[in-house]
Amino acid sequence: MTDDAPKIPLFTERVRRELYEQRVLVLDGALDDDNGTLLATSMLSLAAEDPASDIALWIHSPGGSVPSMLAIRDVMRLVPCEVSTLAIGMAASAGQFLLSAGTPGKRRALPHARILMHQGSAGIAGSAVELEMQADDLRQMRDTVLGLIADDTGQPFERLFEDSLHDRWYTAQQALDYGFIDAIVDSFGDIVPAGRSRLGFAAEEGALR
């Protein structure tokens, strides 16, 4: 690569810190145990620091860990703050689950975001008894997740079950109609963290010097 080649900006820790200071958390990429724990504990920390102001969770993710997404949802319900959610680009599987788990009225998507719902899958192996036990556990987990999505969207469990049997992609408008989100973003003011400066991170940083 030559020195003249265009530089691709990285989502650096500095950017994450600046967003955190604005009470914005970001799930970018697959959800795993590490970033799931970080998101959950960061949400708890922000709530302890200021239990009245909103927390924003911005999502661009292909999905990931079911235990992590359930843990984050539990924290979203536990903290006294309202948690707004925003789909940026893609909110698939666990991303869709967290998107629709936001505070009602504060779940949004960018106009060309795509949302994917499905039941997920997991490889199982072992003896016949072990396979049966694992299958029972997977069914219980599936029903738990679909039940929570039913609570968040207002859709009947039976419809969710049928619609999630195969990968089903939704446009932002379709996600709005289905109940995954409450609005499609059409202005910058829709996504600026409530109660925070609207002058931008650079202005805030300059004021601290």
Side-chain angles (χ1 to χ4, degrees):
M1 179 180 296
T2 67
D3 292 339
D4 295 331
K7 302 297 190 296
I8 300 175
L10 299 177
F11 194 35
T12 64
E13 287 305 312
R14 177 176 177 272
V15 175
R16 290 185 188 276
R17 184 175 65 254
E18 290 180 345
L19 287 169
Y20 178 87
E21 290 170 356
Q22 296 288 321
R23 299 177 70 81
V24 176
L25 304 176
V26 182
L27 171 58
D28 58 312
L31 178 67
D32 56 31
D33 292 340
D34 290 335
N35 61 12
T37 299
L38 178 61
L39 285 171
T41 55
S42 295
M43 200 172 292
L44 288 166
S45 178
L46 287 170
E49 174 188 298
D50 180 354
S53 298
D54 287 9
I55 297 171
L57 175 60
W58 294 353
I59 301 165
H60 178 61
S61 174
S65 168
V66 172
S68 290
M69 79 180 191
L70 289 172
I72 294 170
R73 188 188 190 278
D74 285 344
V75 171
M76 292 168 74
R77 292 296 182 273
L78 181 65
V79 296
C81 316
E82 294 191 339
V83 181
S84 66
T85 53
L86 172 68
I88 302 174
M90 172 175 63
S93 192
Q96 169 272 305
F97 180 86
L98 293 175
L99 174 66
S100 59
T103 298
K106 297 188 175 184
R107 307 170 303 169
R108 300 181 179 89
L110 293 180
H112 293 97
R114 302 274 288 174
I115 289 85
L116 168 69
M117 179 176 68
H118 64 185
Q119 290 188 12
S121 61
I124 56 177
S127 67
V129 173
E130 290 171 333
L131 288 173
E132 184 176 349
M133 292 177 63
Q134 291 179 65
D136 287 342
D137 183 63
L138 288 173
R139 281 191 292 268
Q140 182 180 11
M141 183 67 72
R142 174 202 64 196
D143 291 348
T144 296
V145 169
L146 291 178
L148 292 172
I149 297 175
D151 291 341
D152 293 337
T153 62
Q155 294 288 350
F157 180 91
E158 293 76 16
R159 179 179 181 183
L160 283 165
F161 183 89
E162 291 298 322
D163 289 346
S164 64
L165 286 174
H166 304 284
D167 286 1
R168 187 178 292 268
W169 286 96
Y170 297 80
T171 65
Q173 183 60 54
Q174 290 169 336
L176 176 62
D177 296 339
Y178 202 86
F180 293 133
I181 60 174
D182 306 298
I184 299 171
V185 174
D186 61 9
S187 73
F188 180 62
D190 289 341
I191 60 173
V192 174
R196 297 284 158 171
S197 169
R198 299 192 177 214
L199 298 178
F201 303 133
E204 180 176 303
E205 187 174 88
L208 294 175
R209 290 174 182 165

